[in-house]
Amino acid sequence: MAIEKNYYTIDPEGKLKCFKCGVPLIKGKAKFMYLDNGFPVELPVCPVCGFVYVPEELALGKVASVERALEDK
Amino acid sequence: MSQIQERGSTHVYKVNKISKEEMESMVARCVYEDPPFCSAACPLKLDVRAFLEAAAAGNFKKALQLYEKIAPFPLILSAGCEAPCEGRCRLGEIGEALAVREVERAVARFGEQSRLGGIFRSKKRRTVAVLGSGLFALLLAGELEKKAYPVTVFCEEADEESWLRAAADFLDEEAFSLEHKRLKGKDIQFEFGCVLDRAFLEQKRSCTDVLCASWELTKRLFPDAVCTSELMFCEAERLVTGPTEGVTDAAFGAKKTALTVDRLAQNLDPRNTRGQEGPVESRLYTDLSEAKALDRVPCSAGGYSREQAMEEAGRCLSCHCEECLKSCAYLKHYKKHPGLLAREIYNNTQIIMGDHQLNKPMNACSLCGQCTVVCPNGFDMARVCHLARQNMVSTDKMPLAPHEFALLDMLFSNNEAFLVRPQPGFESCKYVFFPGCQAAAIAPGTVRAAYLDLCERLEGGVALMLGCCGAICDWAGRYEMLGQTRDFIDRELSKLGDPVVIAGCPTCRKELSGFVSASVVGIWDMLLELGLPEGAKGLDRPAALHDSCGARGDEATQRAIRTLAAQLGCELTETPFSGDRSPCCGYGGLTAYANREVAAEMADKCLERSDAPYISYCMACRDRFARQGRESRHILELCYGTDAGAPPDISEKRRNRLTLKNELLREVWREEPREMRLDYKLQYTDEARAMMDERMILTDDVIAVMDAFRENGEAIEDEDGLLVARRRVGNATFWVKFSLTDGGYLVHRAWSHRMRVEKREG
Ligand code: SF4
Ligand code: SF4
Ligand SMILES: [Zn+2]
């Protein structure tokens, strides 16, 4: 199996819980998409319902800077 | 809720060409890079400004370095130059022109020579011979040595000293011995005691690459020789030379000759690629209004002392055109030659693939038009940036993010918060009051008072239209949206029977006059006609009047406001940059949305003109000054005795518009508006409120998230037991961190991003 490059990885380390399903979030595969560009990442995900969590630091940091860069393409 | 379509992809490989002529004609208006008048007049192109600056600072070494670029023998040139620069010095118009030549002389005498040079430099391969003697031959040998040619001088004189004497017998002994020393230090070979006849010349021709001669020798050997003085070249004789007259001309001749040698050494036509030679006309602008008229530092026959030269050099005005940079915070921020910035912004629109690095400056200009007024040549950055924005929109390369909040706000003004009604009891009205979206957002109480007053005191009925004139999408370069907005307003006005529009804002007045069929006046015009309403009262302290950029070029409005202020009993202090020259508060052109840093600098720039409270006649100005902490009032607040108070945050600005609409519907038209009520309690920590304003997150966005949470129960729970829910609204995903309260929620934090996020299988 080809090893896929992930642009970003966050491991919830059992600190986050899905409120609806009552289970801890795990490190799961997710994808950011913007203006027709996609980026594979690993984020905290609920193993039951699939809720993908984007923490504040990530949103304001990496995500925001990639957004700015793509907007000026 | 209104939405705006985000562009679908970054992979759009399309550009809309801007014509080169159009671009050049706009860019070339800026004379920032034109040389100062002195340098323009100098045939040798001395950077006089930099030279004098170094001399004034006592850095004679640097000054001499600059001077040696044009003068291989500085004492010779400074002793005999006719100094055309002095004739063009702007100081001469108000006092005595700067004594450039005397400063040069002092620099040549006292300046420490830099060590490098001469023998240690690597040499060019092609060899050059100079035959004869005289000033031109000397200066030419010096120029060629500077260009690193192996130069040999063939002369009749017996030694170096007599060769130098033949060239510069006008030097005094001190100068002569200094130049003699300098000559010895140069890497020039000599053959003395030559018999300079035709045979000798032909023999040298056969063993040198380029042959030069003094003009006297040439005439002696070839009485019919003709030479073009541009090239300094006798083509028939293949001899590089030409006639010169006086020291300046000899130096200029030597310079042209050295260039011809360059071309010939490379087997190129000496006519080609010579660049601009000799004196030029400069269009530079120098503001002389603050320059002091002074006389020259007196100079004895022996020349200036070091200190005297420094003092005289210090009189230089250092001519620079920075008129627009002095007044515009945006241009100052980007600290670039404005013409160049304009060119880069144009070029930015023409990039087919890759980064558009100039998007930020393109969107940071407030399109206020101040530069065009203060620039002596009418340079128009607003037009450049506006055209560039439209161009980017047309090719679908314009990012939505910097302007989306403002555009959505405009849609809000023209949908949820829009209101149009004739005055009760009138089928068609003679007037319609159009206060403008910012007035309703920032000072709803003032708008209400103004409308009620107009209804009461004007004959023929006054309709009301609460909405946005379209300036927002105009500024964003969204011309399609602008067309739709104008059609919409036009339709609504025609339903009212095209009444006279009474605008509450100078920008609305300007925008609306551009397309509506009826006439458009300002509320200030009406108030002057009707007289001030009861309770009108000016400030009891002196205040500064800030002219709105929307009123630039609109002298009638500027005057009307001043009359109104006088009637109110306001004492206005004089401020620099008022009237047409007024800077923008940072709201114009959507700067406040696209670049908050520049917008704050703009507001500060406005406020640095006076410490007094500010009176303005555009609600956006009032708001931005208040946000910077200055006491700030709109003239209508004074007219109606209202006080809009502390500046509202972004959510309050929306709420104010809705509340105004609903209250007026109830009060004036006796209609019961449909109001949305939350069936749960939503509270915010102070931190959350501040954060939302900073991050442009509306309470409506938070409500959308909480509604979703109530429906689907989806959230995560963090270590501290706080919940985080999210929802996609339009082009962004909003996240809200909250805790449960009795009957509702307490919001702790909120953030958003524009990227979509999805689970990936595998
Ligand atoms: S005012 Fe500004 S734009 Fe006009 S010529 Fe001077 S530097 Fe250029
Ligand atoms: S902000 Fe105003 S003065 Fe400055 S460049 Fe833009 S239009 Fe000109
Ligand atoms: Zn779940």
Side-chain angles (χ1 to χ4, degrees), chain B residues 401-429:
Chain B
H403 294 150
E404 186 175 30
F405 188 91
L407 293 168
L408 287 174
D409 207 51
M410 186 192 93
L411 293 184
F412 175 81
S413 292
N414 286 348
N415 288 287
E416 291 97 318
F418 187 77
L419 177 67
V420 58
R421 290 283 186 284
Q423 183 175 339
F426 291 84
E427 226 157 74
S428 72
C429 294

Side-chain angles (χ1 to χ4, degrees), chain A:
Chain A
M1 206 179 83
I3 302 168
E4 233 182 29
K5 179 178 182 294
N6 286 304
Y7 281 79
Y8 201 85
T9 298
I10 297 180
D11 190 336
E13 294 163 350
K15 289 180 191 154
L16 302 167
K17 217 165 79 185
C18 178
F19 177 73
K20 191 172 165 185
C21 312
V23 297
L25 300 192
I26 55 162
K27 185 171 86 173
K29 293 192 172 189
K31 192 169 136 192
F32 275 118
M33 278 163 312
Y34 192 41
L35 304 173
D36 211 11
N37 298 269
F39 307 91
V41 285
E42 289 178 320
L43 295 179
V45 173
C46 171
V48 180
C49 69
F51 189 115
V52 185
Y53 181 50
V54 181
E56 184 175 352
E57 310 76 61
L58 176 62
L60 300 181
K62 189 85 188 153
V63 168
S65 66
V66 174
E67 283 175 0
R68 292 299 87 81
L70 285 174
E71 281 156 12
D72 289 341
K73 287 273 175 222

